[in-house]
Amino acid sequence: MARNIQSLERAAAMLRLLAGGERRLGLSDIASALGLAKGTAHGILRTLQQEGFVEQDDASGRYQLGAELLRLGTTYLDVHELRARALVWADDLARSSGESVYLGVLHQQGVLIVHHVFRPDDSRQVLEIGAMQPLHSTALGKVLSAYDPVAHSEAVEADRKAFTERTVCDLGPFEQILDLTRARGYAADVEETWEGVASIAAPIHDRRRMPVGAVGITGAVERVCRDGELRPELIAAVRDCARAVSRDLGAGRF
């Protein structure tokens, strides 16, 4: 069995202590409660403070949980609320479109798939929750890059790899695609990431009207497109799904 790292265990215990008792605790209180020497406790607190997980009050010298820990917790809750709100609508979209449905959020330099509904047929499929997709070539990634300033920065600064002959890598044309995405309210990927595969995605907004994710369908080009163009009924279905999830998150009408 792998051995636990003692310093991490102590840091975790420290965070739980600060989360559970009084709002602020002094160094002596923390060291005594955890059975640590003051020097050891101070070293761990200093590291947590540098990472933003702990803050020290200038006047009293006491410690409390930091803003970075709150931000991480809020992100966790937001993603789970997003997925919970999207479950029914994603199932409906899969049934109405006949295609696989993906829900994605920005994570590091890509799109993290947080929910995946299988295409409603008897074909063999692989669950892709937890998979990462690129920002610059996928429909989900383009939507996030168009509406989320952080995602946009990540996409612009990244090495935009060519996956197929259709992948748009140059910055100028890529920015034009993002402008078009914002103008029409959805993004497309027709064989830009995978040969023979097309996708359509639209943005999801929260109660603050901030972009928190994207939802889209993915399927074979011959099903998603007709006569070389995206099927308008599929575009409408994806946009309706995104609006419905946004409304459930408190965004109101879009």
Side-chain angles (χ1 to χ4, degrees), residues 7 9-18 25 27-37 40-41 44-45 48:
S7 59
E9 289 182 329
R10 289 171 171 174
M14 203 168 283
L15 292 174
R16 292 192 188 99
L17 179 65
L18 290 171
L25 293 173
L27 174 60
S28 297
D29 300 324
I30 294 170
S32 176
L34 299 179
L36 300 174
T40 301
I44 296 172
L45 284 166
L48 291 172

Side-chain angles (χ1 to χ4, degrees), residues 34-246:
L34 299 179
L36 300 174
K38 281 188 179 181
T40 301
H42 184 256
I44 296 172
L45 284 166
R46 187 171 62 247
T47 300
L48 291 172
Q49 186 178 0
Q50 290 171 349
E51 296 298 325
F53 296 137
V54 165
E55 296 174 356
Q56 186 178 25
D57 180 66
D58 292 334
S60 66
R62 290 175 172 265
Y63 294 90
Q64 66 184 24
L65 294 180
E68 179 64 13
L69 195 65
L70 177 62
R71 185 190 70 81
L72 291 176
T74 301
T75 300
Y76 175 84
L77 293 174
D78 284 349
V79 168
H80 281 259
E81 182 184 7
L82 171 62
R83 185 175 182 275
R85 298 287 185 177
L87 289 177
V88 173
W89 298 111
D91 285 345
D92 287 347
L93 178 59
R95 281 193 294 270
S96 66
S97 68
E99 301 296 346
S100 301
V101 175
Y102 294 88
L103 183 69
V105 298
L106 176 66
H107 181 67
Q108 296 177 351
Q109 291 81 41
V111 183
L112 174 66
I113 302 303
V114 297
H115 186 54
H116 174 201
V117 183
F118 283 163
R119 185 172 63 255
D121 59 19
D122 296 327
S123 63
R124 185 176 181 180
Q125 300 172 62
V126 177
L127 189 65
E128 295 187 44
I129 294 175
M132 293 290 293
Q133 294 186 3
L135 285 169
H136 70 286
S137 63
T138 62
L140 292 172
K142 292 176 191 177
V143 164
L144 293 174
S145 299
Y147 287 89
D148 185 336
V150 177
H152 179 262
S153 296
E154 295 287 0
V156 167
E157 295 171 5
D159 179 18
R160 292 177 295 280
K161 176 183 175 181
F163 297 102
T164 73
E165 293 181 354
R166 292 173 175 261
T167 308
V168 177
C169 301
D170 293 340
L171 183 56
F174 177 66
E175 291 284 17
Q176 291 176 0
I177 289 174
L178 299 188
D179 288 340
L180 180 60
T181 297
R182 286 184 285 266
R184 63 189 185 182
Y186 71 91
D189 162 15
V190 180
E191 297 189 284
E192 293 178 50
T193 310
W194 303 281
E195 297 282 356
V197 176
S199 302
I200 305 168
I204 296 172
H205 297 80
D206 66 6
R207 61 186 61 87
R208 301 161 296 174
R209 297 295 183 98
M210 297 295 292
V212 292
V215 64
I217 61 169
T218 296
V221 171
E222 58 267 24
R223 295 195 306 267
V224 177
C225 299
R226 182 187 298 127
D227 298 326
E229 300 290 336
L230 296 169
R231 290 168 54 192
E233 66 271 26
L234 294 182
I235 296 172
V238 170
R239 296 192 67 192
D240 286 346
C241 177
R243 291 192 190 102
V245 179
S246 297

